[in-house]
Amino acid sequence: MRLIIIGAPGAGKGTQAVNLSERLNVPHISTGDIFREIIEAGTHLGIEAKSYIEKGLLVPDELTISIVKDRIAKDDCKEGFLLDGFPRTIPQAEQFDEFLDNNDIKLDAVINLEVLDDVIVKRMEGRRVCKVCGRSYHIYSNPPKANGVCDFCGKQLVIRDDDKKETVLERLKTYYEKTTPLIDYYEKKKLLLHFDGTKAISETTEEIMERLLKKQVVS
Ligand code: AMP
């Protein structure tokens, strides 16, 4: 199964993507996580990506697309994938479609998680992420079992640099300018499924699974 999950920063894409990739047994591919890994590794591309990410801007399309194509070409994506945070612009979506067509791959659905801005700003202030496995928590709504420690790998939880309030507002602006046109783009292709991202995490996961079943994406 080949899925994309879109939504504003802080809408819960990463959290839902982790749940769904476990349930559907497909790799979770987060461009944000890939960028954070190459930044941590200090590569040339990482240094370039960091200069955009820390300002709340998007990494240029060319670099982002080549990273996604390389990742999708790996063996574990043969049976499917769940893309989280990509595409984020119309040129990314168009070039990705061309890549999929050339490789005879069809998308099954695009999941759109909807959350209002004021909820997003509050969420991002309390968000903590695991430095190692990338899992997200929230100090109030989805706390880890032990304070500041990841439930899954036991490593330290941190506040992402780009979760500072000014950067969050910039990221939201970028989202409205560059990413929201994708809603129309995928609606026209009859791939879009809308979900209320303000419900409890597990409730939203169940709703998504149910809709995917109805769309007969899941057998
Ligand atoms: P995320 O973890 O998905 O919120 O991504 C963190 C940051 O990485 C974003 O604010 C962007 O700066 C960058 N990024 C992630 N995915 C993309 C993408 N598809 N295109 C451009 N930049 C991206």
Side-chain angles (χ1 to χ4, degrees):
M1 185 178 333
R2 288 148 188 116
L3 299 170
I4 289 175
I5 185 160
I6 61 173
K13 298 187 296 293
T15 306
Q16 289 303 332
V18 167
N19 289 355
L20 294 169
S21 92
E22 279 171 12
R23 294 277 291 268
L24 300 166
N25 198 23
V26 291
H28 166 207
I29 300 171
S30 152
T31 40
D33 284 350
I34 297 175
F35 287 135
R36 283 182 284 278
E37 275 162 28
I38 62 172
I39 289 171
E40 185 84 15
T43 65
H44 230 67
L45 292 181
I47 293 165
E48 189 187 340
K50 187 172 186 222
S51 65
Y52 296 95
I53 294 175
E54 65 189 7
K55 294 190 193 88
L57 302 174
L58 293 182
V59 176
D61 289 338
E62 209 179 312
L63 169 55
T64 308
I65 292 161
S66 77
I67 280 177
V68 173
K69 283 184 186 169
D70 285 353
R71 181 64 190 86
I72 298 281
K74 295 211 165 123
D75 269 0
D76 64 337
C77 293
K78 282 214 168 91
E79 299 302 318
F81 50 78
L82 172 52
L83 274 170
D84 155 20
F86 178 91
R88 256 174 156 107
T89 66
I90 292 286
Q92 286 182 14
E94 288 172 344
Q95 289 186 49
F96 188 53
D97 273 347
E98 201 182 309
F99 168 81
L100 294 175
D101 281 350
N102 290 341
N103 289 281
D104 240 351
I105 301 172
K106 281 212 172 348
L107 285 175
D108 292 295
V110 176
I111 295 160
N112 179 30
L113 275 185
E114 296 168 315
V115 178
L116 295 175
D117 287 5
D118 52 345
V119 178
I120 283 172
V121 173
K122 277 198 199 105
R123 275 189 183 177
M124 309 274 262
E125 282 170 356
R127 176 153 79 172
R128 301 291 181 270
V129 294
C130 175
K131 267 191 96 144
V132 176
C133 74
R135 280 187 167 81
S136 287
Y137 298 84
H138 191 280
I139 50 174
Y140 303 121
S141 60
N142 180 29
K145 291 188 184 102
N147 206 3
V149 177
C150 179
D151 292 350
F152 291 86
C153 60
K155 295 290 189 287
Q156 190 200 353
L157 299 179
V158 295
I159 301 175
R160 268 170 49 173
D161 286 344
D162 57 348
D163 277 350
K164 283 177 279 175
K165 192 160 183 184
E166 319 80 76
T167 318
V168 169
L169 295 177
E170 197 53 46
R171 288 168 69 196
L172 274 173
K173 199 169 139 230
T174 305
Y175 168 74
Y176 285 112
E177 276 173 21
K178 305 273 168 85
T179 309
T180 50
L182 290 179
I183 295 175
D184 235 31
Y185 181 88
Y186 286 117
E187 192 101 69
K188 284 193 182 120
K189 290 180 180 282
K190 305 212 178 321
L191 285 169
L192 206 68
L193 302 174
H194 295 277
F195 296 93
D196 176 355
T198 56
K199 295 186 177 171
I201 293 167
S202 58
E203 200 179 334
T204 304
T205 308
E206 291 314 318
E207 276 183 12
I208 297 174
M209 288 297 297
E210 219 170 279
R211 291 277 293 285
L212 291 176
L213 262 169
K214 271 196 197 137
K215 213 175 174 268
Q216 293 188 319
V217 173
V218 188
S219 54

